[in-house]
Amino acid sequence: ATLTCFNLRYLNVSYDSFFHVTETENQTHCQDNVDLTWHLKESNWTNSKCLDCNCKSCCTGYATPVKFPKDCVSVFDEKTCQYIVHKKDDPSALCPIYAAVGK
């Protein structure tokens, strides 16, 4: 049996990141071109860039804060795949998020 495979292609669109792929009838696996890992056609995964993926597409797996108090800053935590919003002068003091985009 021949394994037909393809690479996911990256396209950056506004606030979200997407991958678009072309499917073939005999495909059993696909490759995430970020991590170079192989996945079964019907599977779902989160890659090292915090993208939620399947063999058809990937998109951001997190929300991006766009409205929060002016004395706060938004910082992305790559280990938890989420933004933390905290006081600019005190990282231990979390701030409210009034609006976010994505996920």
Side-chain angles (χ1 to χ4, degrees), residues 17 19 32 34-35 45-53 58-63 76-83 103:
S17 296
F19 285 90
D32 182 325
V34 171
D35 297 334
W45 68 93
T46 301
N47 67 21
S48 64
K49 296 295 181 188
C50 298
L51 298 174
D52 290 337
C53 303
C58 291
C59 60
T60 53
Y62 51 88
F76 190 70
D77 182 342
E78 291 181 6
K79 290 182 182 176
T80 62
C81 293
Q82 68 180 2
Y83 277 93
K103 187 97 177 166

Side-chain angles (χ1 to χ4, degrees), residues 9-91:
R9 296 182 186 195
Y10 181 73
L11 172 66
N12 191 1
V13 179
S14 101
Y15 291 105
D16 294 314
S17 296
F18 296 95
F19 285 90
H20 295 284
V21 296
T22 304
E23 288 192 71
T24 61
E25 287 185 33
N26 298 326
Q27 166 192 333
T28 60
H29 290 73
C30 62
Q31 185 179 33
D32 182 325
N33 74 339
V34 171
D35 297 334
L36 302 178
T37 53
W38 288 93
H39 302 273
L40 288 171
K41 182 177 179 179
E42 302 300 322
S43 66
N44 296 300
W45 68 93
T46 301
N47 67 21
S48 64
K49 296 295 181 188
C50 298
L51 298 174
D52 290 337
C53 303
N54 59 42
C55 283
K56 294 181 182 181
S57 65
C58 291
C59 60
T60 53
Y62 51 88
T64 303
V66 294
K67 188 173 181 184
F68 46 86
K70 292 183 190 261
D71 63 335
C72 298
V73 64
S74 174
V75 178
F76 190 70
D77 182 342
E78 291 181 6
K79 290 182 182 176
T80 62
C81 293
Q82 68 180 2
Y83 277 93
I84 307 290
V85 179
H86 60 76
K87 295 280 187 184
K88 290 178 181 177
D89 60 354
D90 183 3

